[in-house]
Amino acid sequence: MKAISSRIILGIFILSIGVVALLSNFGILDYSVGQLFLNFWPLIIVYWGVETLFKPGGLLQRLIGVFIALIGVVLIANRIEFEPLMFNLSSLWQLVVPAILIVSGITLLTGKKKIGKSHYAVLSGLERNRGTWKLGSESYVAFLGGVELDLSLAELPSQETHLDLTAVLGGIEVKVPRDLTIICEGQSVFGGVEQLGDESAGIFTSKKETRHEPNLSTDHPNHGKILRISSSTVFGGIEIDFA
């Protein structure tokens, strides 16, 4: 569906240029190709939004896609003076701050549900990087704060362990051992996520399953153990790297 939708937008744009050029050359239409580009270049933004909307992902990604596409539509409406959709973009910041809060709330609400303990760093820091400690399926939230975790010092249960990370206007740094199977996935809005050297940043990015699967002997303490990390960040950053 994504490919069809984005191809339709691009096709309509190119077709329109051709039709306008043809009609202008024969004096049927008093509208130049230059005017077409000047008024409808925001279709590139609409195209970008539709691409984001139809990429594989969750509700948050779809909302971002709709928001980007609407900005493009409003820009076009303003240029061609189509009053029903005209909007003063100088007041865009009046929407941006509430939008940040809405997106942040959705990010927190759509986190992993089957997680045990929840830990919060709100206007503060949380560190677990000294001495041995036990890690279960847990969630960590950094809101205007920071979290540092050294999992090379942690004791993990024998079954699969889930770690849910959320950074809103904050940062989370996680160090993981190399002798452990690790599966990472993450998404960011106006932020960045780095997963075992695989880095992504921008208005909206979504990373699916960065995997690290060491070849361990059956008698290795971490044989059969799996750590699955899910990351979400809004105006923040999450870094997952080897210790």
Side-chain angles (χ1 to χ4, degrees):
M1 183 179 294
K2 178 201 75 172
I4 294 175
S5 300
S6 58
R7 195 167 61 237
I8 287 175
I9 293 176
L10 185 60
I12 290 175
F13 186 48
I14 295 174
L15 176 63
S16 300
I17 293 174
V19 171
V20 169
L22 180 64
L23 295 179
S24 297
N25 289 340
F26 283 92
I28 300 174
L29 184 66
D30 185 20
Y31 200 90
S32 68
V33 175
Q35 287 177 300
L36 187 68
F37 272 110
L38 186 63
N39 291 335
F40 291 96
W41 70 261
L43 272 174
I44 298 172
I45 298 176
V46 177
Y47 176 86
W48 182 19
V50 173
E51 283 250 299
T52 303
L53 175 64
F54 288 106
K55 283 181 179 177
L59 175 61
L60 181 59
Q61 176 172 314
R62 289 178 172 81
L63 289 175
I64 295 297
V66 170
F67 182 69
I68 293 173
L70 283 177
I71 290 177
V73 170
V74 169
L75 284 170
I76 293 172
N78 287 352
R79 302 192 80 84
I80 65 175
E81 298 184 352
F82 183 63
E83 292 187 3
L85 294 178
M86 289 180 67
F87 181 78
N88 183 8
L89 290 178
S90 63
S91 60
L92 182 62
W93 284 107
Q94 296 177 6
L95 296 176
V96 169
V97 174
I100 292 173
L101 296 175
I102 292 171
V103 170
S104 301
I106 292 173
T107 300
L108 293 173
L109 290 173
T110 56
K112 301 294 182 183
K113 302 299 186 294
K114 295 182 179 180
I115 295 292
K117 297 180 182 178
S118 296
H119 308 271
Y120 299 90
V122 180
L123 293 170
S124 62
L126 190 159
E127 296 181 359
R128 286 192 170 180
N129 52 16
R130 295 182 180 86
T132 304
W133 56 287
K134 291 185 178 181
L135 174 70
S137 291
E138 305 174 0
S139 67
Y140 288 83
V141 178
F143 182 78
L144 291 169
V147 174
E148 292 185 22
L149 305 175
D150 189 345
L151 302 188
S152 66
L153 304 174
E155 296 179 0
L156 279 72
S158 57
Q159 70 273 17
E160 183 172 302
T161 304
H162 291 256
L163 188 61
D164 187 45
L165 308 175
T166 302
V168 179
L169 296 167
I172 298 178
E173 181 180 352
V174 180
K175 297 296 184 181
V176 296
R178 293 183 180 273
D179 59 344
L180 179 66
T181 297
I182 301 168
I183 303 172
C184 303
E185 61 179 1
Q187 61 182 11
S188 67
V189 180
F190 293 100
V193 174
E194 182 177 342
Q195 301 176 166
L196 307 178
D198 186 7
E199 186 175 359
S200 62
I203 293 179
F204 181 88
T205 57
S206 180
K207 302 294 291 184
K208 290 294 183 181
E209 287 204 353
T210 300
R211 303 176 73 97
H212 171 71
E213 298 176 291
N215 186 17
L216 304 177
S217 61
T218 55
D219 60 346
H220 192 284
N222 286 338
H223 182 265
K225 294 182 180 180
I226 299 175
L227 175 62
R228 187 178 294 271
I229 304 176
S230 300
S231 304
S232 299
T233 176
V234 181
F235 283 90
I238 295 178
E239 180 182 353
I240 303 164
D241 204 354
F242 293 110

